[in-house]
Amino acid sequence: MSQHDGAAEAIRRRALLVWPRLDAAALRRCNGDPERVAALVARRSSLPRETILGILTTPAVTEVEARTWFG
Protein backbone atom coordinates (compact mmCIF):
# COMPACT_ATOMS: atom_id res chain seq x y z
CA MET A 1 0.00 0.00 0.00
CA SER A 2 1.50 3.35 -1.02
CA GLN A 3 1.41 6.48 1.12
CA HIS A 4 -1.30 7.91 -1.16
CA ASP A 5 -3.40 4.76 -0.72
CA GLY A 6 -3.08 5.09 3.05
CA ALA A 7 -4.11 8.75 2.94
CA ALA A 8 -7.05 7.94 0.66
CA GLU A 9 -8.17 5.18 3.03
CA ALA A 10 -7.90 7.55 5.99
CA ILE A 11 -10.12 10.07 4.17
CA ARG A 12 -12.70 7.36 3.39
CA ARG A 13 -12.69 6.08 6.98
CA ARG A 14 -13.04 9.57 8.46
CA ALA A 15 -15.88 10.41 6.06
CA LEU A 16 -17.77 7.27 7.08
CA LEU A 17 -17.07 7.92 10.75
CA VAL A 18 -18.49 11.45 10.61
CA TRP A 19 -21.22 10.74 8.05
CA PRO A 20 -22.04 7.03 8.50
CA ARG A 21 -24.93 6.99 6.03
CA LEU A 22 -22.83 8.11 3.06
CA ASP A 23 -23.29 6.06 -0.09
CA ALA A 24 -20.32 3.67 0.09
CA ALA A 25 -20.21 3.15 -3.69
CA ALA A 26 -20.18 6.91 -4.36
CA LEU A 27 -17.50 7.33 -1.70
CA ARG A 28 -15.31 4.66 -3.39
CA ARG A 29 -15.66 6.52 -6.71
CA CYS A 30 -14.12 9.58 -5.04
CA ASN A 31 -10.84 7.61 -4.76
CA GLY A 32 -10.01 9.26 -1.44
CA ASP A 33 -9.76 12.71 -3.04
CA PRO A 34 -10.75 15.14 -0.25
CA GLU A 35 -12.24 17.64 -2.75
CA ARG A 36 -14.46 14.99 -4.32
CA VAL A 37 -15.47 13.56 -0.93
CA ALA A 38 -16.33 17.08 0.28
CA ALA A 39 -18.51 17.61 -2.80
CA LEU A 40 -20.28 14.32 -2.08
CA VAL A 41 -20.88 15.21 1.57
CA ALA A 42 -21.96 18.77 0.70
CA ARG A 43 -24.93 17.35 -1.21
CA ARG A 44 -26.43 16.11 2.06
CA SER A 45 -25.04 18.55 4.59
CA SER A 46 -25.59 22.21 5.38
CA LEU A 47 -21.89 22.59 6.21
CA PRO A 48 -19.80 24.73 3.88
CA ARG A 49 -17.45 22.75 1.64
CA GLU A 50 -14.40 24.33 3.31
CA THR A 51 -15.58 23.06 6.70
CA ILE A 52 -16.10 19.57 5.32
CA LEU A 53 -12.57 19.64 3.87
CA GLY A 54 -11.23 20.69 7.27
CA ILE A 55 -13.01 17.82 8.98
CA LEU A 56 -11.66 15.36 6.43
CA THR A 57 -8.07 16.56 6.34
CA THR A 58 -7.26 17.70 9.88
CA PRO A 59 -4.71 15.28 11.34
CA ALA A 60 -5.95 12.98 14.08
CA VAL A 61 -4.80 13.70 17.61
CA THR A 62 -3.64 10.74 19.65
CA GLU A 63 -4.65 10.28 23.27
CA VAL A 64 -1.07 11.00 24.37
CA GLU A 65 -1.03 14.27 22.42
CA ALA A 66 -4.36 15.31 23.90
CA ARG A 67 -3.10 14.63 27.43
CA THR A 68 0.08 16.59 26.70
CA TRP A 69 -1.82 19.58 25.38
CA PHE A 70 -4.83 19.60 27.69
CA GLY A 71 -3.60 17.86 30.82
Side-chain angles (χ1 to χ4, degrees), residues 3 11 17 22 27 29 31 36 41 48 53 57 60 62 64 66:
Q3 185 176 3
I11 295 290
L17 181 67
L22 271 178
L27 186 58
R29 286 192 298 273
N31 294 321
R36 292 175 66 187
V41 171
L53 275 171
T57 59
T62 68
V64 172

Side-chain angles (χ1 to χ4, degrees), residues 26-48:
L27 186 58
R28 271 192 307 277
R29 286 192 298 273
C30 292
N31 294 321
D33 178 0
E35 293 282 343
R36 292 175 66 187
V37 175
L40 175 66
V41 171
R43 290 185 222 149
R44 61 177 295 247
S45 173
S46 61
L47 292 172

Side-chain angles (χ1 to χ4, degrees), residues 1-32:
M1 178 182 279
S2 73
Q3 185 176 3
H4 174 72
D5 291 340
E9 181 60 28
I11 295 290
R12 283 191 291 269
R13 278 186 280 134
R14 184 170 289 186
L16 285 173
L17 181 67
V18 178
W19 299 280
R21 293 178 46 197
L22 271 178
D23 178 356
L27 186 58
R28 271 192 307 277
R29 286 192 298 273
C30 292
N31 294 321

